[in-house]
Amino acid sequence: MLEKAFYGSRSYYAWILFLLIVIGAGAGCYAYQLVDGLRITGMGRDISWGLYIAQLTFLVGVAASAVMVVIPYYLHNYKAFGKITVLGEFLAVSAVTMCGLFVIVDLGTPARAFNLILYPTPNSILFWDMIVLNMYLVLNIVIAWNVLSAERKSTPPPGWVKPLIYLSIPWAVSIHTVTAFLYAGLPGRHLWLTAILAVRFLGSAFAAGPSLLILLCLLVRKVSKFDPGREAIQSLAKIVTYALIASIFFVGLEFFTAYYSQVPGHIHSLEYLYFGLEGHAKLVPWMRISALLAIVALVFLVNPATRRNEKTLAVAAALTFISLWIEKGLGLVLAGFIPNPFEHITEYSPTAPELMITFAIYAIGLLILTVLYKVAISVKEEAA
Amino acid sequence: MMKSRRSFLKISGACLLGLGVKPVLNAFAQAERMEIAPNPNALRAGRWALVVDITKCRDDCTDCINACNRAHNIPDLGRTKEEVKWIWNESYEHAFPGVEHEFVEERVKHQPFMVLCNHCDNPPCVRVCPVQATWKREDGIVMMDFHRCIGCRCCMAACPYGSRSFNWTDPRPYIPEGRMNPDFPTRTKGVVEKCNFCVERLAKGLQPACVESCSSGVLTFGDLDDPNSEVRKVLGERYSIQRKPELGTRPRVYYIL
């Protein structure tokens, strides 16, 4: 089936070429990082995880959100999602691959990455994160590929795929829960030391992932003969609506606990994020824009007229995605380190090479997504 | 085609199996490994601890910091963002956030407090390390294996005392001229490091470098499990505090104000 990725229009090839150029530039920057060390990034002793790990955290959510199409289709036999489950699963494949790459580029000594396997450490959350992410990647590749192959041959998928599909449902929840545990169990990091972090992650994931899927469905319909279907898109829109409400509510809960209890440690990071702390306010405009976008998106989504209109729905989906990217792919990870354990404030900005490496990993993800979607859509065009 | 693919898979499987079996064979081979006799003069303890009597500490003195830097080839990068620090000074309000208040004694307010790894009894850094590059010895010293560390920095996120440093770049060119200690390894870029309570000196029967260098009697190092030890005596006579005891890490560095 993979050969279908080699037959495309001029613009398809131009897009692939563009991604390859970005990947090449990022690879050059990564070579520089390998030689010079992580000093080429904006990280330092106070903010020791930066843009890379923040992207991992956000993309795990995008990956986990595939379950939002898998559950209705396979558990509730909701037929409208039949056309897009493969798209959801391939999105997960692309997102998990990016997660893995972001961990690798963040390692100080990547040549020793295999130590993770050579010295299995059950008390370490990163060890479990590696296990669940890799397993989730394999599950999604195997499931989506087999279901798609069967569709191509107009036969039902092999029987052994069904249990894997059922397994992939709790597994999707586990990848984001385990990633939240990377943060939620650390003493002295007040912003992260909150029992609702895992559900907060799931809430924002189930809004951000399906938002992206809506945009991808609309794009697929535009550039190919395959139509994911209006009903599927509308159902995704409802999922985004509820998940976004939950996500905003969860952030509100954090504010209540911090500000009503008045415990300084719990207030500091939130204050840094949304109001500025002792004159340091680099992330404040970002977080305020994120909050604003979430509210505007919610208005668009809750209102049936704007939700049903695919043009305004597309805007709402884009706003939701950007808002949650800022919240999770930027604010949450960085502000966990601000203030530091000595209550000193150090701020962080990514450097140009660090940004380039980040873009390149996104480009790798988009390349995988493009190729897989090209295959899936070609099969679906033929089957139709 | 099918046949060759099948034989390829067979050979690959056999190779993978071989790789899988090798560690098992190695485990058997290790039965014959050499035992290295420890130094008979080595200092031993059930649980090592350090008491810092800040009342004896002189404001302008940095002897302990210098001794540590020398003993452990700590680079001087000149950039605070990437600093490698094993012992350094913080003010009272920053060393003990939440404990300070506006009416605290003037002397304490302006006194530098030396901070270092607390060698916690319940160390979060050990809990989070995915490759066991950091672990706790039986005598309570929290260790780092510079050769095992993959540089994921989970331990830095987990340490509530900011005691861990990462080598953001190759530290070797930044070790000041003429200060190289050939008896202690230098580190490479991409690994975490921190205070090790001078295990290399304890093994030779010597006190930690900071303790030895301090002429004002600020530092007392000893065994918490021994009721007759100097540290137990000091802790039994004077009131002492620890950094962030509420986190349950049970730090083994005590401060007398």
Side-chain angles (χ1 to χ4, degrees):
Chain A
M1 277 194 307
L2 203 55
E3 74 282 355
K4 294 189 188 304
F6 290 101
Y7 303 101
S9 61
R10 271 180 90 90
S11 50
Y12 170 74
Y13 275 104
W15 168 241
I16 298 278
L17 184 68
F18 165 74
L19 291 177
L20 289 174
I21 291 169
V22 176
I23 293 167
C29 291
Y30 185 58
Y32 172 37
Q33 181 182 299
L34 278 180
V35 174
D36 224 23
L38 281 161
R39 80 190 272 191
I40 70 148
T41 68
M43 293 183 270
R45 68 173 292 130
D46 286 336
I47 299 189
S48 47
W49 280 339
L51 200 58
Y52 298 151
I53 294 296
Q55 300 320 297
L56 153 84
T57 310
F58 177 71
L59 290 168
V60 168
V62 174
S65 71
V67 80
M68 286 288 103
V69 289
V70 171
I71 289 179
Y73 182 58
Y74 287 103
L75 286 190
H76 304 295
N77 199 22
Y78 179 63
K79 292 276 192 293
F81 275 174
K83 284 173 132 180
I84 61 164
T85 43
V86 167
L87 298 187
E89 285 157 349
F90 279 162
L91 177 59
V93 169
S94 145
V96 176
T97 310
M98 288 190 268
C99 291
L101 290 171
F102 275 116
V103 174
I104 300 289
V105 298
D106 190 66
L107 292 183
T109 319
R112 294 184 195 155
F114 275 100
N115 280 1
L116 281 168
I117 297 158
L118 292 173
Y119 308 104
T121 311
N123 49 277
S124 160
I125 303 293
L126 192 67
F127 166 74
W128 289 110
D129 210 33
M130 175 199 65
I131 303 266
V132 292
L133 286 177
N134 283 309
M135 182 67 185
Y136 190 65
L137 178 64
V138 172
L139 277 176
N140 276 288
I141 291 175
V142 170
I143 293 168
W145 200 258
N146 276 290
V147 170
L148 194 64
S149 304
E151 192 174 326
R152 188 188 183 195
K153 293 175 215 143
S154 307
T155 54
W160 54 266
V161 174
K162 214 58 191 265
L164 292 185
I165 291 168
Y166 292 138
L167 178 65
S168 79
I169 293 169
W171 212 276
V173 177
S174 86
I175 62 167
H176 221 12
T177 305
V178 173
T179 307
F181 286 176
L182 277 179
Y183 303 98
L186 303 181
R189 305 281 179 189
H190 300 284
L191 184 68
W192 300 338
L193 193 65
T194 160
I196 67 160
L197 200 64
V199 277
R200 246 183 88 186
F201 274 24
L202 287 168
S204 64
F206 293 161
S211 297
L212 183 58
L213 201 54
I214 290 176
L215 295 171
L216 289 171
C217 284
L218 293 172
L219 186 72
V220 161
R221 181 199 279 161
K222 211 167 196 155
V223 299
S224 79
K225 279 177 272 176
F226 168 61
D227 181 5
R230 187 181 155 78
E231 194 191 333
I233 292 172
Q234 283 301 313
S235 298
L236 283 175
K238 281 177 205 138
I239 290 170
V240 174
T241 311
Y242 286 115
L244 185 60
I245 291 170
S247 185
I248 294 170
F249 177 59
F250 292 155
V251 175
L253 295 181
E254 300 281 19
F255 268 91
F256 172 79
T257 303
Y259 281 85
Y260 195 80
S261 72
Q262 308 249 323
V263 176
H266 290 282
I267 297 176
H268 284 154
S269 299
L270 287 176
E271 193 156 282
Y272 171 71
L273 280 177
Y274 290 91
F275 310 104
L277 187 61
E278 293 170 24
H280 299 273
K282 214 174 228 174
L283 283 174
V284 171
W286 287 90
M287 296 311 287
R288 290 196 177 168
I289 287 171
S290 166
L292 185 72
L293 295 184
I295 291 164
V296 174
L298 195 61
V299 171
F300 275 37
L301 287 166
V302 169
N303 189 341
T306 40
R307 189 179 63 239
R308 287 193 196 120
N309 178 335
E310 283 185 353
K311 283 209 174 70
T312 42
L313 175 62
V315 173
L319 296 184
T320 304
F321 188 79
I322 297 166
S323 164
L324 294 174
W325 176 78
I326 295 171
E327 201 238 319
K328 222 159 86 190
L330 206 60
L332 185 102
V333 173
L334 297 182
F337 294 105
I338 303 169
N340 79 355
F342 295 94
E343 299 207 341
H344 291 301
I345 300 172
T346 309
E347 289 196 289
Y348 162 92
S349 328
T351 59
E354 190 179 5
L355 281 171
M356 202 56 235
I357 292 170
T358 304
F359 290 145
I361 293 178
Y362 271 101
I364 293 173
L366 284 172
L367 183 66
I368 293 170
L369 190 73
T370 308
V371 167
L372 291 176
Y373 270 33
K374 181 80 176 68
V375 172
I377 290 160
S378 304
V379 168
K380 283 172 184 296
E381 279 174 339
E382 273 172 27
Chain B
M1 180 63 201
M2 274 311 278
K3 199 176 168 201
S4 70
R5 189 189 332 185
R6 180 167 295 177
S7 52
F8 171 75
L9 284 173
K10 266 187 198 159
I11 295 165
S12 314
C15 289
L16 279 175
L17 193 69
L19 286 173
V21 167
K22 196 168 175 293
V24 180
L25 293 177
N26 288 350
F28 283 110
Q30 269 172 15
E32 289 174 44
R33 76 178 162 209
M34 280 204 301
E35 290 284 331
I36 297 167
N39 186 325
N41 302 323
L43 299 181
R44 274 173 243 242
R47 231 172 342 150
W48 288 113
L50 182 70
V51 180
V52 184
D53 185 347
I54 223 79
T55 59
K56 294 180 183 165
C57 195
R58 296 199 317 268
D59 277 7
D60 50 347
C61 173
T62 51
D63 287 350
C64 58
I65 301 173
N66 298 341
C68 178
N69 287 351
R70 249 170 228 285
H72 301 112
N73 295 321
I74 291 169
D76 179 10
L77 291 127
R79 294 183 293 268
T80 48
K81 187 174 91 92
E82 295 156 30
E83 259 176 321
V84 173
K85 300 193 273 197
W86 284 29
I87 306 181
W88 69 104
N89 279 329
E90 287 282 346
S91 68
Y92 176 65
E93 63 167 324
H94 289 120
F96 296 91
V99 181
E100 93 286 3
H101 59 80
E102 55 195 302
F103 307 112
V104 79
E105 201 182 335
E106 276 302 308
R107 173 184 62 86
V108 171
K109 220 184 253 180
H110 301 293
Q111 177 102 47
F113 278 69
M114 62 169 275
V115 292
L116 67 162
C117 170
N118 281 290
H119 296 278
C120 304
D121 228 10
N122 178 21
C125 54
V126 170
R127 192 156 60 234
V128 300
C129 178
V131 294
Q132 299 154 41
T134 188
W135 78 98
K136 200 178 88 171
R137 297 204 324 180
E138 275 183 18
D139 59 6
I141 296 180
V142 176
M143 295 287 289
M144 258 310 297
D145 184 339
F146 309 128
H147 300 98
R148 170 84 64 95
C149 176
I150 58 172
C152 68
R153 308 187 297 291
C154 287
C155 56
M156 293 179 83
C159 177
Y161 304 104
S163 294
R164 291 183 156 254
S165 301
F166 181 70
N167 286 284
W168 298 94
T169 189
D170 181 8
R172 286 165 184 154
Y174 298 95
I175 299 167
E177 200 88 21
R179 217 193 62 186
M180 179 75 80
N181 172 13
D183 297 331
F184 196 80
T186 53
R187 272 74 68 197
T188 53
K189 68 169 184 287
V191 299
V192 169
E193 61 178 80
K194 64 168 197 75
C195 156
N196 63 353
F197 263 179
C198 283
V199 283
E200 75 285 358
R201 291 174 58 92
L202 299 178
K204 289 189 217 156
L206 297 167
Q207 289 272 310
C210 54
V211 179
E212 191 186 80
S213 74
C214 179
S215 53
S216 319
V218 176
L219 304 174
T220 314
F221 185 73
D223 184 2
L224 284 180
D225 283 356
D226 173 7
N228 299 316
S229 70
E230 199 63 26
V231 279
R232 279 287 292 274
K233 222 184 290 170
V234 184
L235 291 175
E237 285 167 3
R238 308 275 304 274
Y239 179 71
S240 58
I241 59 172
Q242 294 151 285
R243 291 175 62 202
K244 304 187 182 179
E246 73 278 10
L247 299 178
T249 58
R250 298 196 296 278
R252 289 295 169 238
V253 175
Y254 300 82
Y255 294 86
I256 292 169
L257 307 188

